[in-house]
Amino acid sequence: MLRNGINARTAKAGDSVYFETAYPIAQNNRIVIPMGSFVRGKILESKRPGLIKGRGDFAWFLSR
């Protein structure tokens, strides 16, 4: 669940995003991030929406 607002018109690479996990995240049958954890990440790139039509898009990654 996204905890801070992101606006496609103003977001840029390097901006921080904060999430809270709604489900536990597992890797190799082990829970590595429990449910309810807060996770921080950064926007890698963003595409602004068009003036008339089109949608914005984000690429992001989780920080350790």
Side-chain angles (χ1 to χ4, degrees):
M1 296 180 283
L2 184 63
R3 287 296 175 191
N4 67 319
I6 299 175
N7 186 334
R9 294 197 187 279
T10 60
K12 59 188 180 302
D15 286 353
S16 292
V17 289
Y18 296 96
F19 299 94
E20 181 181 356
T21 56
Y23 300 96
I25 298 171
Q27 182 179 24
N28 297 328
N29 293 326
R30 288 187 64 199
I31 294 177
V32 292
I33 302 175
M35 182 174 75
S37 297
F38 287 92
V39 189
R40 183 179 65 178
K42 289 196 182 282
I43 295 177
L44 292 175
E45 61 181 281
S46 82
K47 177 184 144 197
R48 293 184 60 178
L51 292 174
I52 305 299
K53 62 179 183 176
R55 297 179 64 130
D57 192 21
F58 298 104
W60 53 272
F61 73 96
L62 296 178
S63 302
R64 289 187 176 239

